[in-house]
Amino acid sequence: MRVPLSWLREYVDLPATETGRDVQAKLVSAGLEVETVEHLGADLKGPLVVGQVLTIEELEGFKKPIRFCTVDVGQANGTGEPQEIVCGARNFQVGDKVVVVLPGATLPGGFSISARKTYGRTSHGMICSGDELGMGDDGSHGIIVLPPETEVGKDAIELLELVDEVLDIAVTANRGDCLSIRGVAREAAIAYGLPLRDPALLDVPRPNAFGYPVQVSDPLGCDRFTARTVTGLSPEARSPLWLQRRLQKVGMRPISLAVDVTNYVMMELGQPLHAYDRTLVRGTIGVRRAEEGEQIVTLDGVERKLHAEDLVITDERGPIGLAGVMGGANTEIADHSETEGTTDVVIEAAHFDAVSIARTARRHKLSSEASRRFERGVDPQAAAAAAQRTVDLLVLLAGGTAEAGVTEVVAPSAPHTISVPADHPDKVAGVSYGRETVVRRLQEVGCDVYGQDELIVTVPSWRPDLQEINDLAEEVIRLEGYENLPSTLPRPPAGRGLTHRQRLHRRAGRVLAGAGYVEAPNYPFVSEQVFDQLGLEADDPARRVVRLTNPLNDEEPALRTSLLPGLLGALRRNDGRGSHDLALFETGLVFLPRSEQRVAAVLPVDRRPTDAEIAELDAALPEQPRHVAVVLAGAREQAGWWGKGRPADWADAVEAGRLVAREAGAELVVRGGQYGPWHPGRCAEFVVVVDGVETVVGHAGELHPRVVKAFGLPARTSAMELDLDVLEAVGDDTPQAPAISTFPVATQDVALVVDKFVPHAEVETALREGAGELLEGIRLFDVYENEEQLGDGKKSLAYALRFRAGDRTLTVDEASAARDAAVALAGERTGAVLRG
């Protein structure tokens, strides 16, 4: 919402010395987010005057039309002689009043004006357009043509109000009242402790039986509809300069007088209005829900197919407007013209249901100034005043006549009242405000307050966001100043802290960060097409997703069942921006639909739900296990003076899984596997034993080339994902002190020849079991393949075995016996034989 300071001063007597920055500070302190203060005309310097075109000479022989003009600027040039100016614009003629900038002036952007020779003539100044003066588009796309009565030689800077300050306010969704000068003026008046001249306090005639006929068929969608009629408007009447300038300052383009007046009143009072050409409206104006498939051409020229939930304005022909969003082209106000301009108008000022308007605007992708206000909350009591203000301006500026008929259709409703303890804001803020302060602040907002210890508060019509006692407490706190709240550290009760799940989540993140991974959280929304990119089978359980009824993005309507799509997208973006050595991780929830679909229960708000009610609600929600995932690409170790670097590969992804499992205290079995996005020959499967049953908890390895191509990833990208909740369930992360033996270690190396297809993990598992309790550690230190020495389809795996006893020094025979037992079991299970 753009708020010119000059307009704001009409309703609040701000101190003359207050600048836009000062007002910004006050409003920010009151809770309004004033993003910027724009200084209009800050670098503008005159002379800038009104001139009258005396002659126009068309210059020939140039690529574009050029005109040599003489312009009367009065005594502004010091001589009274006509000013000679070269101009390329075509939208003015002899006798027109224009804006002339004379030599010595400076236009916005630091553009200095001086006499200069161009197109064979000397131009002493320039005839200005709105864009050149920083005014914005006035609809003419050319030179500013002023009204004929404008005085020649008058200072155009003052005439066009070119110097001003404009506050740009980011209005939150609950403060629709601040989408108007009236609402911001009220906040400024409260902030400065000054009275407000409310522009909505007008004498409004009572409704009668002579007004334009209106029938509201849906009082829930439209609880108030005011109609007024003005006849005899001058077709050639144009919006005065002051009105055009105010619209331009708030970011709107002047169109025609009737439309400009409705826009002006909307910005002033916050009540959207619409003007219909009375001669084009057929019969009674109605308000109803659209029939499925009905069509309307809106003012933007687009033909729209209506939905049964859309609220529409109709006449006897059908829809003539999308209620609260945009009018229809079949009753559009005609532009000013001596013969065809609109002379009779019907003014609509209505109050529509916020949810209905918001849904219609989103359904048709048609956000307008009107819909922005209705969906945030409009003062229903302001409709009659806004209609009266519009009528008054049309009568004043276009010579019209206000008809005596006044139509007002109102659905009865009682004002909203809230009972709140007088000390409730004190309890919320932890500050002792006292009853007098609470009552005073609520009254400043516009509430009627009665009672002593228990206050009965009647909420003003322009604040529909005040629904319950905490809303009232927030009003008191913000007006007293958030900056005045003391900083007090909370005192948690003893025995509270992070849950075991939360601690594991943090430890997993810390261990991965310590291993060189960077956390990259992602949104939990995915497109179902991503499963095709991941290469998942058609019957893969991961393809079953929870779909959102109202997704933020139509292209991503489902909740993720894997962390990989988001991480791979982050890796692709970073790689595309020049960061090629990447190691990213994420820990977060995935969402798995339950086999039995249940409808979530509506929990009570007047008491704490019972444990059974909470359990019923949880049962209707999807399962939400916590996963951890990593992706790697590029170099894992950088090259330097210390030696060669190495690229990230599948083994790094596997090791990331092992790191997390060690943090959880879980025994993780790693073996060859094959699943979805991973390369079939470079995929590891993570397995844990749950209640005596082996359970696959994740996979790691190098991604399949098809997946790499589909996502646009670097070659040989690797990834890992596993279920952190299952690791928590089977793990024992009780801290164990390291056992330090005083006895020496006995080392034995073995080289085993096995078939190429036998995984190293199976051989290691057999060796570990066969060696028994004396085995302290085992490490694979060499893999060798040579058909001549080993035979066709064979490979050699060399292991270093470490043996130690806790109570004695092992003899050579004991170590050798343990080694032989390990080799024997490996041979029995995998067919391994000692090499050589």
Side-chain angles (χ1 to χ4, degrees):
M1 176 68 191
R2 291 170 57 85
V3 180
L5 195 59
S6 58
W7 197 350
L8 191 64
R9 289 182 183 274
E10 283 199 7
Y11 309 127
V12 184
D13 290 325
L14 299 174
T17 57
E18 288 293 282
T19 65
R21 293 292 184 191
D22 298 329
V23 178
Q24 177 189 29
K26 285 283 190 179
L27 293 179
V28 168
S29 179
L32 293 185
E33 186 180 351
V34 184
E35 293 186 323
T36 60
V37 178
E38 183 179 353
H39 297 270
L40 302 181
D43 52 354
L44 176 65
K45 185 179 73 171
L48 189 72
V49 299
V50 176
Q52 184 172 21
V53 180
L54 301 178
T55 64
I56 298 177
E57 177 187 352
E58 301 288 345
L59 302 183
E60 304 293 339
F62 300 101
K63 292 183 179 180
K64 62 179 181 179
I66 299 297
R67 311 168 98 184
F68 181 68
C69 311
T70 59
V71 185
D72 177 15
V73 294
Q75 297 298 319
N77 57 5
T79 65
E81 297 294 324
Q83 201 79 2
E84 296 180 337
I85 299 174
V86 175
C87 183
R90 313 292 297 175
N91 68 312
F92 65 96
Q93 56 190 359
V94 172
D96 281 347
K97 303 287 180 68
V98 294
V99 178
V100 179
V101 57
L102 300 177
T106 302
L107 293 182
F111 183 60
S112 298
I113 303 299
S114 60
R116 64 189 183 94
K117 190 170 183 179
T118 179
Y119 296 103
R121 304 294 178 94
T122 301
S123 182
H124 299 272
M126 188 169 72
I127 301 175
C128 297
S129 68
D131 286 336
E132 290 164 339
L133 298 179
M135 296 170 55
D137 182 21
D138 62 355
S140 66
H141 303 291
I143 294 302
I144 301 171
V145 179
L146 300 172
E149 64 273 12
T150 310
E151 177 185 349
V152 172
K154 183 177 178 64
D155 184 3
I157 295 178
E158 179 182 354
L159 175 69
L160 299 176
E161 302 177 12
L162 296 178
V163 178
D164 202 350
E165 292 182 276
V166 180
L167 310 177
D168 193 352
I169 303 175
V171 179
T172 55
N174 65 320
R175 291 302 304 273
D177 60 305
C178 288
L179 285 174
S180 67
I181 304 297
R182 178 197 184 200
V184 177
R186 182 180 292 107
E187 292 295 320
I190 296 173
Y192 280 93
L194 297 171
L196 170 70
R197 289 187 292 275
D198 192 343
L201 295 180
L202 301 175
D203 292 330
V204 179
R206 297 180 62 82
N208 52 53
F210 311 109
Y212 198 94
V214 173
Q215 181 178 1
V216 177
S217 302
D218 190 340
L220 295 178
C222 175
D223 58 5
R224 184 179 295 266
F225 195 106
T226 300
R228 300 288 298 276
T229 305
V230 181
T231 59
L233 300 178
S234 173
E236 62 272 13
R238 301 193 180 203
S239 301
L241 285 175
W242 65 265
L243 193 150
Q244 293 187 44
R245 287 298 294 132
R246 286 194 168 177
L247 289 179
Q248 288 173 331
K249 289 178 184 179
V250 299
M252 303 190 77
R253 181 173 65 86
I255 299 174
S256 63
L257 178 59
V259 176
D260 292 349
V261 166
T262 57
N263 286 336
Y264 177 85
V265 175
M266 176 180 66
M267 303 307 295
E268 181 182 56
L269 301 183
Q271 168 66 53
L273 302 106
H274 190 71
Y276 301 94
D277 189 328
R278 183 176 179 178
T279 61
L280 300 178
V281 179
R282 301 286 183 262
T284 300
I285 292 178
V287 183
R288 62 169 172 82
R289 297 289 173 176
E291 297 177 5
E292 189 69 38
E294 273 190 304
Q295 294 184 338
I296 183 176
V297 178
T298 46
L299 288 175
D300 57 358
V302 177
E303 182 174 340
R304 303 181 185 278
K305 187 176 181 180
L306 300 180
H307 188 275
E309 292 185 4
D310 291 334
L311 198 64
V312 292
I313 311 298
T314 65
D315 63 5
E316 63 184 21
R317 297 167 298 179
I320 60 174
L322 270 177
V325 180
M326 185 174 286
N330 53 356
T331 56
E332 181 179 5
I333 296 290
D335 203 352
H336 45 72
S337 168
E338 295 184 1
T339 57
E340 299 179 355
T342 298
T343 58
D344 301 339
V345 297
V346 177
I347 306 299
E348 166 208 308
H351 183 263
F352 300 110
D353 174 61
V355 174
S356 176
I357 300 305
R359 288 177 175 173
T360 296
R362 284 159 178 73
R363 187 179 297 117
H364 295 283
K365 296 180 173 60
L366 185 62
S367 179
S368 64
E369 291 290 344
S371 67
R372 286 182 62 218
R373 285 161 175 79
F374 278 123
E375 64 191 32
R376 286 167 172 79
V378 169
D379 181 4
Q381 302 293 335
Q388 182 63 45
R389 177 75 164 137
T390 304
V391 169
D392 292 343
L393 287 173
L394 288 176
V395 170
L396 174 66
L397 302 177
T401 300
E403 290 194 351
V406 177
T407 303
E408 189 164 5
V409 180
V410 180
S413 61
H416 182 51
T417 61
I418 303 172
S419 178
V420 54
D423 61 349
H424 182 69
D426 299 4
K427 295 178 180 179
V428 173
V431 176
S432 180
Y433 292 124
R435 179 187 178 280
E436 291 185 3
T437 299
V438 171
V439 171
R440 174 172 58 85
R441 288 304 190 183
L442 292 178
Q443 288 176 338
E444 287 177 344
V445 172
C447 299
D448 291 331
V449 185
Y450 302 95
Q452 291 298 319
D453 295 338
E454 190 75 16
L455 302 179
I456 305 301
V457 180
T458 302
V459 174
S461 58
W462 58 83
R463 291 299 302 275
D465 59 306
L466 302 182
Q467 293 292 323
E468 49 105 12
I469 60 175
N470 287 324
D471 297 331
L472 300 179
E474 183 181 1
E475 289 299 294
V476 175
I477 295 168
R478 77 174 181 88
L479 294 179
E480 283 295 304
Y482 291 117
E483 68 278 8
N484 296 323
L485 293 176
S487 297
T488 306
L489 290 176
R491 296 181 179 179
R496 301 291 178 87
L498 298 178
T499 65
H500 185 272
R501 188 187 194 206
Q502 291 169 331
R503 289 196 300 271
L504 177 59
H505 175 211
R506 293 192 178 188
R507 291 205 314 274
R510 281 196 296 266
V511 72
L512 289 174
Y517 291 85
V518 176
E519 187 170 15
N522 294 283
Y523 289 116
F525 312 116
V526 295
S527 164
E528 294 184 63
Q529 285 71 34
V530 77
F531 301 123
D532 294 329
Q533 295 176 296
L534 289 174
L536 299 185
E537 299 291 340
D539 58 349
D540 194 299
R543 285 183 174 270
R544 293 185 62 245
V545 295
V546 177
R547 293 179 179 83
L548 300 173
T549 302
N550 188 22
L552 295 179
N553 183 352
D554 291 339
E555 295 181 358
E556 296 179 334
L559 291 174
R560 66 189 179 190
T561 58
S562 168
L563 301 182
L564 289 183
L567 275 179
L568 294 177
L571 187 141
R572 180 184 64 248
R573 287 191 297 272
N574 282 276
D575 181 71
R577 294 168 184 169
S579 298
H580 303 302
D581 303 325
L582 297 163
L584 309 178
F585 84 93
E586 180 179 7
T587 55
L589 302 178
V590 298
F591 305 86
L592 309 176
R594 298 181 187 272
S595 56
E596 180 185 355
Q597 296 294 329
R598 299 185 182 181
V599 178
V602 178
L603 298 182
V605 296
D606 57 342
R607 58 175 174 81
R608 183 191 182 279
T610 65
D611 293 342
E613 289 172 331
I614 295 175
E616 183 181 357
L617 179 63
D618 288 340
L621 298 177
E623 295 181 18
Q624 301 175 53
R626 188 179 298 276
H627 281 201
V628 58
V630 305
V631 293
L632 305 99
R636 186 68 175 124
E637 296 177 3
Q638 297 291 335
W641 59 265
W642 51 84
K644 296 181 180 180
R646 70 172 182 85
D649 60 18
W650 61 269
D652 295 300
V654 173
E655 181 60 23
R658 286 195 172 107
L659 284 174
V660 175
R662 281 197 289 269
E663 280 298 313
E667 185 176 345
L668 194 66
V669 177
V670 181
R671 64 192 185 195
Q674 182 173 343
Y675 179 67
W678 282 277
H679 192 295
R682 298 167 187 160
C683 174
E685 183 178 78
F686 294 144
V687 177
V688 296
V689 177
V690 181
D691 297 329
V693 178
E694 288 190 345
T695 303
V696 177
V697 293
H699 295 82
E702 183 180 316
L703 294 180
H704 197 288
R706 285 197 297 268
V707 175
V708 170
K709 181 179 180 180
F711 279 92
L713 304 173
R716 311 301 291 268
T717 296
S718 299
M720 179 277 294
E721 182 172 12
L722 57 78
D723 191 324
L724 200 55
D725 283 353
V726 176
L727 290 183
E728 178 193 4
V730 302
D732 180 9
D733 57 357
T734 304
Q736 299 289 335
I740 301 175
S741 176
T742 59
F743 298 98
V745 66
T747 60
Q748 296 274 354
D749 293 345
V750 295
L752 303 178
V753 178
V754 296
D755 293 330
K756 282 186 178 180
F757 64 82
V758 175
H760 139 69
E762 292 186 13
V763 178
E764 180 181 319
T765 300
L767 289 173
R768 191 181 299 276
E769 293 183 15
E773 296 181 354
L774 295 180
L775 182 67
E776 182 182 74
I778 182 171
R779 179 175 62 88
L780 174 69
F781 67 85
D782 183 54
V783 178
Y784 177 70
E785 295 181 9
N786 187 309
E787 292 185 2
E788 294 181 2
Q789 296 185 14
L790 302 178
D792 187 22
K794 299 291 184 179
K795 64 181 178 182
S796 171
L797 303 177
Y799 294 91
L801 308 179
R802 292 169 58 89
F803 299 99
R804 194 194 311 257
D807 57 351
R808 67 190 186 280
T809 298
L810 291 178
T811 64
V812 174
D813 293 339
E814 288 177 312
S816 298
R819 179 202 63 189
D820 293 342
V823 172
L825 186 59
E828 179 183 337
R829 289 188 179 178
T830 66
V833 296
L834 280 173
R835 180 179 169 190

